[in-house]
Amino acid sequence: MRNQIAAANWKMNLTFQKGEKLLDEILAAGIKLKQHQQVIFAVPFPYLLMARSEVEEEKNYYTAAQNCYHKKNGAFTGEVSAEMLHSLAIPYCIVGHSERREYFKETNEMLADKLNLCLEYFITPIFCCGEPLPIRESKMQNQFVQTQLQESLFHLTAEQITNIIIAYEPIWAIGTGKTATTDQAQEMHAFLRSILANQYGQTIADQISILYGGSVKANNAKELFDCRDVDGGLVGGASLIAQDFLEIIKGLK
Ligand code: PGA
């Protein structure tokens, strides 16, 4: 079975103390993950070492950065490179979240560079894609998301692409409480897998975990994760509440 993943995206929320307490509460619940299940905490940069040491002893619990810079190193005050994350043994990094695309003007081309750097430094990228509302309303979502993959992902080799996690996050569902229906999620995930299969072959497409993101909550996670091509979720708001995120973890296939 493909890896099934519950990834928490804290964004710019929680003080250090609250973040540490949240991790303690989640880990204290002692949910034992199956071989193919993973829980990933994407925390703010200054919390990475704390989070890494919290999850160190726990099987299949990991830490992620929420971003890295698209240049290797140099005079970029305030930025964090993939090499720096690697030097802290951080195994995952979110790349191309819609908030970064929108507020920080990240382009598909910059994201391609970020993916290359992550892979060069043995960091598994969680690559986000997804359409805004007007695109969904004009039924152009497939073309839109296909272009995002083509321009950021499809230069990768077959071997590289198996080291990537994809997160489909329709922008109209992020932080809005408006979740995609299971039909909408499954349809898009199947489409994403089909274009991966066209590019890399079915065997490889079948190995890639595709997460759903956008108002995943304790009460809808399981039905979303039960969809054939949905391999877990990237969770914002509900990952900030221990009980809610625990329920979401329990919803994994
Ligand atoms: P949300 O955020 O769960 O709060 O909608 C998801 C995300 O942005 O990754």
Side-chain angles (χ1 to χ4, degrees), residues 9 11 97 99 169 173-176 213-217 234-238:
N9 178 10
K11 310 190 181 186
H97 190 280
E99 288 150 16
E169 300 205 302
I174 296 178
T176 57
S215 298
V216 174
K217 304 286 175 209
L234 180 56
V235 187

Side-chain angles (χ1 to χ4, degrees), residues 3-6 189 210-213 225 230-234 252-253:
N3 285 339
Q4 303 293 306
I5 300 165
H189 284 230
I210 307 179
L211 316 185
Y212 168 80
F225 300 172
V230 178
D231 304 309
L234 180 56
L252 290 173
K253 285 198 273 281

Side-chain angles (χ1 to χ4, degrees), residues 166-180:
I166 294 176
Y168 169 61
E169 300 205 302
I171 298 172
W172 46 270
I174 296 178
T176 57
K178 197 169 172 221
T179 320

Side-chain angles (χ1 to χ4, degrees), residues 122-160:
F122 310 101
I123 295 164
T124 301
I126 303 173
F127 175 76
C128 302
C129 59
E131 79 287 354
L133 187 59
I135 298 284
R136 168 66 63 168
E137 283 172 345
S138 56
K139 301 192 172 36
M140 298 289 283
Q141 67 271 16
N142 286 8
Q143 285 99 314
F144 186 90
V145 174
Q146 181 162 12
T147 303
Q148 290 182 319
L149 264 63
Q150 266 162 354
E151 294 185 357
S152 298
L153 228 58
F154 283 177
H155 65 285
L156 299 174
T157 65
E159 197 194 330
Q160 287 176 315

Side-chain angles (χ1 to χ4, degrees), residues 25-206:
E25 274 173 45
I26 291 168
L27 296 172
I31 297 183
K32 294 277 173 267
L33 301 174
K34 299 191 183 128
Q35 195 59 39
H36 67 275
Q37 294 176 333
Q38 296 179 352
V39 172
I40 300 174
F41 298 98
V43 303
F45 286 132
Y47 307 176
L48 281 170
L49 282 184
M50 173 277 287
R52 196 198 66 188
S53 73
E54 287 267 344
V55 301
E56 222 149 38
E57 307 283 296
E58 310 287 339
K59 185 167 164 276
N60 292 0
Y61 286 79
Y62 301 100
T63 307
Q66 296 175 9
N67 181 37
C68 64
Y69 201 52
H70 62 283
K71 304 272 189 202
K72 197 165 181 148
N73 54 36
F76 302 106
T77 302
E79 292 299 328
V80 173
S81 68
E83 185 181 21
M84 292 171 178
L85 297 176
H86 173 62
S87 71
L88 298 176
I90 300 303
Y92 295 94
C93 182
I94 298 177
V95 170
H97 190 280
S98 63
E99 288 150 16
R100 303 239 24 120
R101 291 174 187 261
E102 185 183 346
Y103 306 137
F104 302 94
K105 306 289 172 244
E106 295 189 353
T107 62
N108 290 340
E109 200 182 7
M110 284 158 71
L111 301 178
D113 292 340
K114 291 192 191 206
L115 293 174
N116 292 342
L117 286 164
C118 283
L119 293 169
E120 182 178 340
Y121 288 104
F122 310 101
I123 295 164
T124 301
I126 303 173
F127 175 76
C128 302
C129 59
E131 79 287 354
L133 187 59
I135 298 284
R136 168 66 63 168
E137 283 172 345
S138 56
K139 301 192 172 36
M140 298 289 283
Q141 67 271 16
N142 286 8
Q143 285 99 314
F144 186 90
V145 174
Q146 181 162 12
T147 303
Q148 290 182 319
L149 264 63
Q150 266 162 354
E151 294 185 357
S152 298
L153 228 58
F154 283 177
H155 65 285
L156 299 174
T157 65
E159 197 194 330
Q160 287 176 315
I161 199 90
T162 55
N163 289 316
I164 287 206
I165 297 167
I166 294 176
Y168 169 61
E169 300 205 302
I171 298 172
W172 46 270
I174 296 178
T176 57
K178 197 169 172 221
T179 320
T181 64
T182 50
D183 284 351
Q184 285 172 325
Q186 170 55 30
E187 198 179 294
M188 177 56 88
H189 284 230
F191 173 70
L192 289 169
R193 206 174 300 288
S194 77
I195 57 176
L196 289 166
N198 280 342
Q199 187 74 14
Y200 295 102
Q202 193 66 48
T203 313
I204 286 179
D206 283 339

